[in-house]
Every structure is written in structure tokens, then in C-alpha cells.
Amino acid sequence: MKEQNYLDHLVGVFGQPVAENPGVVIQDAAFEAMGLERWHFLTLDVDKDKLEDAIKGLKAFKMRGINCTIPHKIAVMDYLDEISESAKLIGAVNMIVNNDGHLFGENTDGKGFMMSLESNGVDVKGKKAVVFGAGGAARAICVEMGLAGAADITIVNRAQDRPLGDALMAILQENTKTECRYIDWDGPFSIPEGTDIVVNATSVGLYPDVEVMPNINLDSITSDMFVQDVIPNPTETALIKELRCRGIPCATGAGMLINQAALNIEMWTGKKPDKDVMYKALEEALA
Ligand code: NDP
């Protein structure tokens, strides 16, 4: 007789706003392809002051885990039993694993970024990088690149947020051997010769402002550099389209998003999802 087991396994995302977050599309597609039909990804609108209640709910429902996005990535750290070393350095958690009530926090944003670089044949060890932005994504990316042995990172951000850039520099200086510097972004920025990796870790180009490009002198980007965008929506930003026309090796933010989602699924289920299925689901959702 067929086993009668209808227990649901719940994961999801806590955020606000969160309605436009495409996580559910790629996660559900992955679960279906894996034959995990009783696994469900919930997109949950959680008020800033209701995070503690949401965590209690997560435990009460024995949810296997959760992603956290704006505004909960930092605040959630107060409710965790254990936090990975890199998430501590980054100062933010974007995914939690619930091991029988013991909550473990990890940051898979930077790890997804590193996997995207790797899948494009880029090894950061000993390399020189320029990173635009100093927010949450830039922090995760710089910490992971620093821990992976990047030789040199230049952080470029709008002058108004110098403290953010300085804080990130301090983390890199105290915890890695990476040379780093901060430059105010107050006009078209020219990428220095000898740079290997360029990262757009800002929200410039994000839907609905899809025609906008980061203020970079594109002629300073040469074909021996690799450019990684973080924007997952649209799947191809104006920057990536222009770089492709110019023959510059580059990758979209979809790679980072899919890789971090795949890592989350593996940590929750113990099984590797099919990333091609996830890419296809994302493309269909954003078409
Ligand atoms: P934050 O709000 O923490 O940081 C945003 C960054 O973008 C800041 O450095 C900000 O500079 C900069 N910025 C915003 N507008 C402009 C502008 N017009 N010109 C120059 N700089 C600008 O956001 P996150 O770091 O969390 O997210 C950044 C992007 O990364 C988002 O688009 C998000 O979708 C994407 N992301 C993608 C992931 C993926 O898996 N692909 C994962 C996580 C994030 P300032 O400090 O001066 O405001």
C-alpha cells in the first residue's frame, strides 16, 4: 500500500515589501523537479516590529527554514542560536536553517556571487576587483572575495555613504589580507588598468528603472576584465546588454540569485536542485 504521509515541509521568505520577490517561482520549480511535492515556499509579508512573532511562528510550524530580506537581514540575528563566521563578518543573515528548534543563520548572497564567478571560470584568488556600492550586497560580495584571497578591492560608492564604505574597509582590513581602498563616486568612474573583476553591487538598473546604467566610463572596461552584475530583474540589465555588444565577458545577477537559492535548498533538504530548471522558471516569470 502507498505510504500515507501528507506532512508539509515549509520554507519561505520574510520581508517587506516582498510581494515582487521571485524566490517562490524558482524554489517551487526546483522542488517540483526534485519530486519534493510536499515542500512549499511561502512569500510572507512580515512587519518590521513583528519579526519576533514571525520567528515564533516559524518554530511553532516547524518550518525547515526561511530567507530574510529587507528589512530583516540584520535584526533577525538577535533571534538565532548560531551564526556562520562569514555572516558574522558581513553583519547580516539572509537564510536560516531550523534544526529541531536550533536556528542557524547563514549569508548565501556572497556565496551565490562566488559560485556565479566560478561557473564563469573566474577565480578571485590574487585578483584585483572594483566593486560599485557599499550596501548589503556589496558587503557580502567583498567579504567573500576577501576570504577567498582577492589581492585588492576598490570600493566605489556615492559620497553620501562614506561611513558604509569605511565600515566595509575596516572589516576587510581586520579579517583578510586583501588590500582595499574606498573612492567617492562623484562622476563617471574609469576602471583602473590591471583590474580583473568589476562588480555592479548597486541597485542601479533594477526594475522598473531598466534603462539606467551605473555611471562608469565603459571605454575603460577591457575584454581581459570580467564584469558581474547583481541585478536579477530584469534578467539582462542595460549595462550587461552594452557590455555584450562590446564583447566584454560578463554575467547577470540571475547567476548569483539562482546559485544562492540552490544553496538554500541544499541546506534545507540535503539535496542538490537542478539549476537549469530554476533559470528557466525565473526567465519565464520575468519575461
Ligand atoms: P542596499 O540598499 O543595501 O544598497 C544599495 C547600494 O546601491 C548602495 O551602495 C547605494 O548607494 C547604491 N545606489 C543606489 N542607487 C544608486 C545610484 N543611483 N547611483 C549610485 N549608487 C546607487 O541594497 P542591497 O545591497 O541589499 O542590494 C543592492 C542590489 O543587489 C539590489 O538591486 C538587489 O536586487 C541586488 N541583490 C541581488 C542579489 C542576487 O542574488 N542577485 C542578492 C542581493 C541583492 P548609496 O549608499 O549612496 O545609497
Side-chain angles (χ1 to χ4, degrees), residues 109 133-137 157-158 160-161 202-204 230-231 253 256-257:
D109 283 340
N157 201 39
R158 292 188 294 192
Q160 63 193 29
D161 257 342
T202 72
S203 43
V204 180
V230 299
I231 306 281
M256 176 176 168
L257 180 72

Side-chain angles (χ1 to χ4, degrees), residues 202-280:
T202 72
S203 43
V204 180
L206 187 65
Y207 179 86
D209 301 317
V210 297
E211 300 302 329
V212 188
M213 272 205 241
N215 196 3
I216 303 172
N217 172 9
L218 292 181
D219 292 336
S220 67
I221 304 181
T222 50
S223 58
D224 53 351
M225 299 176 186
F226 184 85
V227 182
Q228 173 75 59
D229 204 342
V230 299
I231 306 281
N233 181 11
T235 45
E236 214 170 56
T237 55
L239 173 67
I240 292 290
K241 280 184 190 153
E242 179 60 32
L243 293 173
R244 288 210 164 123
C245 287
R246 291 169 176 243
I248 308 288
C250 56
T252 72
M256 176 176 168
L257 180 72
I258 299 293
N259 277 299
Q260 65 90 16
L263 211 52
N264 299 343
I265 291 178
E266 203 178 332
M267 289 174 74
W268 289 328
T269 68
K271 294 179 182 150
K272 281 188 196 295
D274 182 339
K275 291 183 198 170
D276 290 339
V277 167
M278 298 165 77
Y279 272 111
K280 199 160 164 273

Side-chain angles (χ1 to χ4, degrees), residues 69-89:
T69 185
I70 293 169
H72 304 308
K73 283 186 182 185
I74 296 170
V76 79
M77 295 172 85
D78 289 345
Y79 305 103
L80 305 180
D81 301 295
E82 192 184 343
I83 298 173
S84 79
E85 284 309 312
S86 57
K88 273 188 213 158
L89 289 186

